[in-house]
Each structure stands twice: as C-alpha cells, then as structure tokens.
Amino acid sequence: AQKVTQAQTEISVVEKEDVTLDCVYETRDTTYYLFWYKQPPSGELVFLIRRNSFDEQNEISGRYSWNFQKSTSSFNFTITASQVVDSAVYFCALSEADQGAQKLVFGQGTRLTINP
Amino acid sequence: DSGVTQTPKHLITATGQRVTLRCSPRSGDLSVYWYQQSLDQGLQFLIQYYNGEERAKGNILERFSAQQFPDLHSELNLSSLELGDSALYFCASSVAVTGELFFGEGSRLTVL
C-alpha cells in the first residue's frame, strides 16, 4: 500500500533561514508521481510541484528546491532564505501510475512557521 | 487563484440533514476529484470523475455520493450527516485523467 510520511509535524525558524521539509514515501510501483502542496492560513491548497519517478533531477524554482532520491524513497523540499509569507502547512503526496485514474495519498503535513 | 470554484465556502447544518457541495473545474479540465480534510484523518481522497464517468473511489461513505455533469461541473452530496462529517471538502481538477491537480478553496462543513 502507498504511504507518505512527513515526520516533522511542526517547524519554526527565523526569517532568512533555510529550511528543509522531509518527505518519505512507500510504494510497490516502479512508476509513480510525487507532489508538494502548500496550505496557507487562508486554507486553499496551492500546487507547488509534480515529479514522476523516472525523473530524479533536482528542481529549483526561485527560493524553492526539491531533492528526489529514489534510493532512500525521499522527496525533500527546501526553502532558501525563508520569508514570513512562507508560513503554511506543507503536504507531500504520492500517486501511483494508473492510466485510468489518479488517487493522491497525502502525508500528515508539516506546519512551517517563519518568525520575523 | 487556481481557477477551480467551490460553493458554498461555509455551511452549517444539523445532524441528519443533507447538503450538496458544488464544484466548477478549471476551464478545459475534464477530471474532477473530491477530497476531505479533517483533523483526525488528514486529507483523504473520496472520488474522481473524468468527463462524466467515475474513475476512482477512495474511502467515500455510502451516505456520500457524487456526480459530474455534461458541463463538467461536479456535485458532492452528503446525507444523514453526522458530527464526524464536519470537515473541509476540497474539489480539484486536472486536464487529463492524471496530471497536476489544482484545488479549489474548499467548502467548510460544520455539522451541529
């Protein structure tokens, strides 16, 4: 069965610090997709990234970067030079490849607080 | 703004009642998903539709049902409501059967 573990329930850092959110997943499939979503205090879920299991290249988007390591089944998310606006709950999610359907399994989320 | 519209944003009702949550997907998206977010269960997949057809089912209770209409909007019907059904219900859409999911702002249901 699929499972996503975000072991860090809460993280609190001071603005401008770098912070890494951990995500470990379990799946029996060789083809799958990994996602990160941000849920700010307003409540909506904001899509950040989708990565397929065959693409292990790290990705950088501005201050955000993602490190995908199949050997350790991890898909970690780093925010560089954090800002107060980054405060949110961040969810990692996994979807097994199925041409007919897509079910995302979410981790429990990491609440990130950036203090000024 | 993701482009996915959900109504109502907030809903308060009593146990035993029935409610309908509505979702309009992003323009061009054929796939619609429903998720439930509660404090104890986290984010749980309920059901997926693609171009009017049910494609996948998660832990959706028998008291809950959904459909996707020809104009691609979707409705989630929750009946015989219980206190434990209080949650944030999200709708999401994607262009194809798989792909990036874009979520609406959610409908917060409170059952008293």
Side-chain angles (χ1 to χ4, degrees):
Chain A
Q2 305 171 74
K3 186 178 177 182
V4 176
T5 301
Q6 294 180 255
Q8 304 150 309
T9 307
E10 293 192 33
I11 299 175
S12 180
V13 300
V14 177
E15 202 172 17
K16 295 183 185 174
E17 285 186 22
D18 298 347
V19 58
T20 295
L21 309 182
D22 298 333
C23 172
V24 174
Y25 61 91
E26 295 175 30
T27 177
R28 294 179 186 174
D29 274 17
T30 55
T31 305
Y32 50 89
Y33 298 90
L34 295 163
F35 300 74
W36 274 96
Y37 283 88
K38 172 182 179 180
Q39 188 173 38
S42 50
E44 73 271 28
L45 282 166
V46 179
F47 170 80
L48 296 178
I49 190 170
R50 174 180 179 252
R51 175 55 56 85
N52 77 57
S53 53
F54 295 109
D55 182 3
E56 286 193 73
Q57 270 197 321
N58 290 334
E59 177 145 348
I60 297 174
S61 176
R63 295 182 297 105
Y64 295 171
S65 62
W66 290 269
N67 183 305
F68 177 28
Q69 291 197 333
K70 285 179 80 169
S71 59
T72 55
S73 297
S74 65
F75 187 44
N76 296 337
F77 173 33
T78 297
I79 301 175
T80 303
S82 60
Q83 299 176 2
V84 173
V85 293
D86 296 326
S87 295
V89 180
Y90 290 86
F91 291 94
C92 180
L94 165 71
S95 174
E96 290 177 344
D98 177 345
Q99 294 308 308
Q102 178 168 239
K103 310 178 193 180
L104 264 63
V105 173
F106 284 84
Q108 288 299 105
T110 297
R111 181 176 299 278
L112 176 64
T113 302
I114 310 296
N115 299 297
Chain B
D1 184 357
S2 67
V4 178
T5 304
Q6 289 187 246
T7 57
K9 286 188 167 38
H10 300 276
L11 191 55
I12 301 174
T13 189
T15 55
Q17 295 298 304
R18 173 190 169 95
V19 298
T20 297
L21 309 181
R22 182 188 168 99
C23 170
S24 294
R26 294 188 319 158
S27 177
D29 284 1
L30 298 178
S31 204
V32 168
Y33 310 76
W34 286 97
Y35 282 79
Q36 178 195 59
Q37 185 178 31
S38 61
L39 283 175
D40 52 346
Q41 297 289 328
L43 271 160
Q44 299 278 319
F45 168 73
L46 295 179
I47 198 163
Q48 177 192 6
Y49 281 85
Y50 177 76
N51 204 19
E53 292 184 3
E54 182 186 303
R55 282 305 182 101
K57 237 175 180 176
N59 298 324
I60 186 167
L61 299 171
E62 283 192 15
R63 300 183 286 108
F64 296 1
S65 64
Q67 53 184 326
Q68 185 180 27
F69 295 87
D71 67 352
L72 301 177
H73 92 271
S74 177
E75 292 182 356
L76 178 66
N77 300 297
L78 315 174
S79 61
S80 302
L81 286 168
E82 302 175 359
L83 295 178
D85 297 328
S86 295
L88 189 53
Y89 291 86
F90 283 106
C91 172
S93 70
S94 63
V95 171
V97 174
T98 62
E100 292 89 352
L101 271 70
F102 293 92
F103 283 80
E105 294 185 347
S107 292
R108 184 169 295 281
L109 172 65
T110 302
V111 182
L112 301 176

